[in-house]
Amino acid sequence: MIRGGKSLAVLGAAGLTAKLAFDRGGWDLGASTGVREVRDYHRSDRGGPSDFVVARGTATTAPTLLVEQALAALGGMGRFISRGDIVVVKPNIGWDRTPLQAANTNPDVVAAVVRMALDSGARKVIVTDASCNDPGRCFQRSGIWAKAHRAGAEVVLPAEHKFRSMRLGGEVLDEWPVYRTLIEADKVINCPVAKHHNLAKYTAAMKNWYGTLGGRRNRLHQSIDVSIADLATFMRPTVTVVDGIRVMMRNGPQGGNIDDTQRMNTVLASIDQVAVDAFGCTLIGQRPENLPYLRMGQERHLGTMQWQTLRPREVAVLDDGSVERRALWVPEGEDPAAVAFALNHARRPQVIA
């Protein structure tokens, strides 16, 4: 009996050791020691005429043109990228889906961002993500691998040896394996797709950082809003460019049915990942106060839910190819979410200066 008890104790200890090793950085670890590590890629921002831009076009407008117009209205890619920078572009390449299914970032949006970064003097631009489905299939079927490579990017698939444990110091995410390619860059451009998410309700800028993590990140869904806020506290991008060309309105994040998507012909660009999600969620008819992670992000001083305070601009590409640029404003007493919804869904925006 004693010998058997000792054997069980040894097996139990071995099992616990293996579990802790497998779940490195997971829920079962106690609080780690040391200073919280933060990756803030926004500190070199040289400023520009606006900090929040909505670029929209017609069904025939090329996504590339919308990206170019959105970033130009922010002050140009040169506002953010310096000569010699190593830039990582982080799209959503999580799913084995085609561009029409709108589960991943539109490949033309990614390629446009790559070209603009290179044109602004970047020494190298890397495009990568830690996919949920098989990475090879995701990168190929999304169209991102081919178009990003053609634009001049180095496309990097995730691999286990490319992650290292970091001290995030969050409420849920304390110590966790993080993708080294992203944390070793000079600048990081967040390039998510706007879409519905069955747990988070809406996913774009802040939720896109799930693709920086290794390990069993599905466990984070048990406290999804806090984990999103923890990740956004850790990863603070140089600039965010949100793909709203084709938007998954329901059954996200993976989707699959084209009938669940809607062509919106919109690109959002901002220095503020909280604000861009507060506005962007109205693309799917959601309201920012229904997304707890936005409130948490604002409380942590990561940004503001009040996008209207960021000198917002709208760029409209018309049917004849001409471009109109307008300042956006919210009349006193008006609900910013209602104004954003009208801008995203009305045939002709009403609340513009």
Side-chain angles (χ1 to χ4, degrees):
M1 289 293 289
I2 295 174
R3 186 177 302 166
K6 288 181 178 179
S7 298
L8 288 172
V10 170
L11 287 172
L16 179 59
T17 301
K19 186 175 190 298
L20 288 174
F22 182 75
D23 286 337
R24 183 170 175 78
W27 293 80
D28 298 323
L29 290 181
S32 61
T33 59
V35 178
R36 166 186 283 174
E37 296 178 270
V38 172
R39 288 297 182 268
D40 188 347
Y41 297 100
H42 184 64
R43 292 175 179 170
S44 61
D45 176 13
R46 291 181 278 273
S50 174
D51 293 328
F52 184 91
V53 175
V54 182
R56 64 182 77 255
T58 68
T60 60
T61 305
T64 296
L65 179 57
L66 291 178
V67 174
E68 292 170 350
Q69 290 293 333
L71 284 166
L74 281 184
M77 187 67 90
R79 170 180 175 178
F80 308 105
I81 304 303
S82 300
R83 185 162 300 279
D85 279 343
I86 296 176
V87 179
V88 173
V89 178
K90 166 62 177 73
N92 187 328
I93 323 176
W95 307 102
D96 183 5
R97 294 284 188 251
T98 68
L100 279 176
Q101 293 167 309
N104 304 304
T105 307
N106 184 290
D108 291 319
V109 170
V110 179
V113 171
V114 169
R115 281 192 294 269
M116 293 181 73
L118 289 169
D119 290 345
S120 295
R123 177 161 62 91
K124 179 166 64 173
V125 177
I126 300 168
V127 172
T128 194
D129 189 23
S131 306
C132 300
N133 296 151
D134 174 70
R137 289 186 58 85
C138 294
F139 277 59
Q140 288 185 1
R141 199 166 180 221
S142 67
I144 290 174
W145 192 335
K147 292 203 173 184
H149 178 73
R150 199 174 303 139
E154 177 184 337
V155 182
V156 176
L157 268 67
E160 188 175 349
H161 70 276
K162 295 176 182 175
F163 292 82
R164 70 178 174 90
S165 181
M166 295 195 70
R167 167 82 161 95
L168 277 63
E171 294 181 39
V172 169
L173 281 157
D174 189 13
E175 222 177 297
W176 204 274
V178 180
Y179 201 177
R180 282 181 18 237
T181 304
L182 279 151
I183 61 178
E184 293 173 356
D186 295 314
K187 306 287 172 60
V188 171
I189 300 176
N190 193 10
C191 196
V193 59
K195 59 180 176 176
H196 171 262
H197 192 283
N198 60 358
L199 292 177
K201 302 183 182 71
Y202 169 78
T203 171
M206 292 174 70
K207 175 68 170 61
N208 200 37
W209 299 127
Y210 262 52
T212 67
L213 298 179
R216 298 170 61 192
R217 64 192 194 206
N218 62 311
R219 302 180 73 190
L220 301 175
H221 288 164
Q222 298 174 49
S223 188
I224 193 165
D225 290 294
V226 178
S227 65
I228 291 172
D230 282 351
L231 274 168
T233 302
F234 172 69
M235 287 293 293
R236 306 180 190 187
T238 307
V239 63
T240 298
V241 179
V242 178
D243 161 29
I245 303 299
R246 181 177 290 275
V247 177
M248 188 186 299
M249 308 298 287
R250 53 194 168 270
N251 295 323
Q254 185 170 359
N257 189 339
I258 296 174
D259 291 339
D260 289 335
T261 71
Q262 181 176 330
R263 184 82 184 218
M264 304 289 283
N265 306 307
T266 299
V267 168
L268 309 177
S270 181
I271 65 169
D272 188 319
Q273 59 182 330
V274 178
V276 83
D277 276 348
F279 184 98
C281 70
T282 66
L283 286 165
I284 65 167
Q286 189 53 262
R287 292 186 59 87
E289 61 266 27
N290 294 334
L291 308 177
Y293 63 82
L294 292 182
R295 173 183 50 77
M296 295 175 192
Q298 181 168 274
E299 290 171 349
R300 297 182 187 197
H301 306 290
L302 306 179
T304 178
M305 295 169 66
Q306 305 304 314
W307 56 267
Q308 72 275 14
T309 66
L310 299 177
R311 301 173 294 156
R313 301 287 184 271
E314 182 188 38
V315 180
V317 181
L318 307 181
D319 287 322
D320 61 2
S322 61
V323 178
E324 294 181 356
R325 298 173 181 85
R326 312 176 177 102
L328 296 180
W329 60 282
V330 176
E332 187 176 353
E334 289 285 337
D335 175 16
V339 171
F341 184 86
L343 288 169
N344 287 324
H345 296 277
R347 192 171 183 82
R348 290 184 62 83
Q350 299 298 314
V351 192
I352 35 184

